[in-house]
Amino acid sequence: MTNSLLSQQLDALLTNETNFIANLSNASALLYHQSLSDINWAGFYLYDETNDELHLGPFQGKVACMHIKNGSGVCGTALQQQKVLRVDNVHEFAGHIACDSASNSEIVVPLIKDDKIIGVLDIDSPSLFRFSPEDEVELVEFSKTLLKHI
């Protein structure tokens, strides 16, 4: 069913595991340590419907912002618009939240299952223009594979 090696690895890793946090933890580790080059943060923000904000979830990288309001920064905007945002230069993104001053580009993939907002996958890079359209396709597929295991 999955095409990319990355999605196949994730599917194999998560097979028969039902713990939500464990699955997100291993997914972020797979991205950060084994799959993507030139990144400095890979992880998840989880949606809190009560406060209409994202809360920091499992990740790999330096310490991060713990709360992001819906519509704020790249993550909150991707959540609000429910679409992938690929930002070549975060310093030119209005309202960018600088959790790590070393980050220069970012890609955020909303995670939605059965019309329920789960959160977002967020990946940062210290390089400008790091994320290509091909990366976006692969990360959307990766996210769909992950959602099968949630």
Side-chain angles (χ1 to χ4, degrees):
M1 181 175 281
T2 58
N3 295 327
S4 76
L5 178 58
L6 177 59
S7 289
Q8 290 175 23
Q9 289 172 323
L10 180 66
D11 196 42
L13 183 64
L14 302 185
T15 295
N16 297 322
E17 179 53 64
T18 59
N19 185 285
F20 179 62
I21 298 300
N23 285 347
L24 293 179
S25 298
N26 271 333
S28 63
L30 179 63
L31 288 169
Y32 189 83
H33 292 288
Q34 296 177 334
S35 301
L36 297 176
S37 62
D38 195 26
I39 64 170
N40 59 338
W41 203 92
F44 299 93
Y45 281 94
L46 304 176
Y47 183 61
D48 174 6
E49 188 175 336
T50 304
N51 296 314
D52 193 29
E53 68 181 8
L54 293 165
H55 291 184
L56 181 63
F59 72 94
Q60 300 283 313
K62 292 182 179 180
V63 297
C65 299
M66 297 196 323
H67 303 272
I68 299 174
K69 286 287 184 195
N70 192 356
S72 296
V74 180
C75 288
T77 302
L79 174 71
Q80 183 179 60
Q81 296 177 1
Q82 294 188 14
K83 72 175 193 177
V84 176
L85 288 183
R86 189 167 31 91
V87 180
D88 294 329
N89 182 347
V90 296
H91 308 290
E92 295 176 351
F93 187 90
H96 173 251
I97 301 168
C99 296
D100 180 355
S101 61
S103 293
N104 287 308
S105 63
E106 184 170 4
I107 187 167
V108 178
V109 180
L111 301 172
I112 302 168
K113 182 174 184 174
D114 301 327
D115 296 322
K116 179 177 171 43
I117 300 169
I118 307 297
V120 299
L121 166 62
D122 180 27
I123 304 173
D124 296 350
S125 172
S127 298
L128 296 169
F129 298 90
R130 162 58 184 88
F131 302 104
S132 67
E134 294 78 18
D135 290 325
E136 181 177 332
V137 168
E138 184 168 44
L139 291 168
V140 166
E141 182 182 332
F142 179 88
S143 296
K144 287 178 182 175
T145 301
L146 174 65
L147 289 168
K148 285 183 358 187
H149 295 279
I150 291 178

